[in-house]
Amino acid sequence: MSEQITMENCCEYLCTAKTQTLGELEAKVYRFLSDNFLRVLRESSVYGRLTGAERELILSLRMRGKESLIVAEISDVFERVGSRESSRPESPLSTASLDERCGMYYYSSDYKDWKILTKIPEEVNTKGCGICTMYNYLFVAGGIKGHGDASRVSDKVFCYNPMTDTWSEIRSLHQPRAQLKLVSMDGYLYAIGGECLFTVERYDPRMDRWSPVAPLPKGAFAVAHEATTCNGDLYVSGGSLFYRLLKYDLKRDEWQECPYNNSRKKSADMLAYKNFIFRFDVNREQGVNVFKYNAVLKMWQQCASLQQANLGAFKCALMDSCIFCVTRSQLLQFSVEEGKEHFVNGSFKAPLEARGVLHPFTLHLPNNK
């Protein structure tokens, strides 16, 4: 019976398991609901019948695996030669020519090496896309399809489910976006800005719907910007915003100007830890300067630096109170222990197979990884 669990009969099986005290079947139903959490959210006939405790249980089961550092190989938005282009239909997701596509790699602590997690389907636009995680799913939004004169900006949004190792397409953005920032906060996705765009939209996974929210202030459209969340607020900085820091007030649905950062250098990335936002500014000749913003006291200060010329572009991910900064050739570690922030001595290589820009993030992977 447990092998026949579907979205249509899962509630019936769960009721049977509870009534007849079939613990093994009950556990398998909960695992099925957990493995397909995004679909469950959209099915009111299923999610609406679950108790609050059951909803918390199936969400916690999605985190049952070990948290792992993962990098997605992303096409450089400025590439014009050798970029991927496909004339295949948008769905179902292609499974052909796996070896020719960008991949996702996870760091195996057992083997002390990078392992392939999955190939990214051709339909997923990785050039100039936005990436973030939510509910232990990876979401990829927007980007540029094709190259040269045939290129076009995409409104497509895809997600990867590590518990089932599958890709699927969700509701498209209202506006096609490239060089956007995608951020998750309080169970919603936010697609922020993009090339020549002030607009911001929010995705509700329960309704499978994108809705507009307050646009960025005039004169602050975001290209190659950075975004993060801290204490329930959304922050945007860098890129065409230079040293400015904007905060989105969810209750008022408006953007507010925060104190400026003294740095005038290009921002590589920005992440939050506890009450602090860490911004990594790059100088090609000198290296990296790290500034932190106290979101409570509303104050900036420089907290660390790394003297390394020609470091190149990098993106960051937070795991275990450590920020991992990933370039094409190496992975740096930055400790965010309060008052003792510093770059950890030594580094290890990024995946050797990857040829594109590497975008790091974390997911909880099944125990067989």
Side-chain angles (χ1 to χ4, degrees), residues 177 180-181 183 190-194 199-200 216 225 227 234 236 255:
R177 298 174 185 270
L180 72 155
K181 202 67 179 180
V183 179
Y190 290 81
I192 306 165
T199 56
V200 181
L216 295 167
H225 53 301
L234 182 61
V236 178
W255 291 89

Side-chain angles (χ1 to χ4, degrees), residues 196-240:
C196 300
L197 291 177
F198 293 92
T199 56
V200 181
E201 49 188 299
R202 178 173 64 189
Y203 177 71
D204 182 348
R206 291 285 305 274
M207 304 298 293
D208 188 29
R209 181 175 63 194
W210 291 91
S211 303
V213 298
L216 295 167
K218 295 296 183 181
F221 75 84
V223 175
H225 53 301
E226 308 304 333
T228 190
T229 62
C230 185
N231 295 337
D233 292 311
L234 182 61
Y235 291 84
V236 178
S237 184
S240 58

Side-chain angles (χ1 to χ4, degrees), residues 299-330:
M299 295 177 56
W300 283 99
Q301 71 178 93
Q302 184 172 350
C303 63
S305 63
L306 176 67
Q307 304 303 313
Q308 182 174 333
N310 300 315
L311 181 62
F314 64 85
K315 292 296 179 183
C316 303
L318 175 68
M319 187 174 73
D320 297 332
S321 70
C322 185
I323 294 177
F324 293 85
C325 308
V326 182
T327 74
R328 290 186 187 218
S329 59
Q330 63 178 320

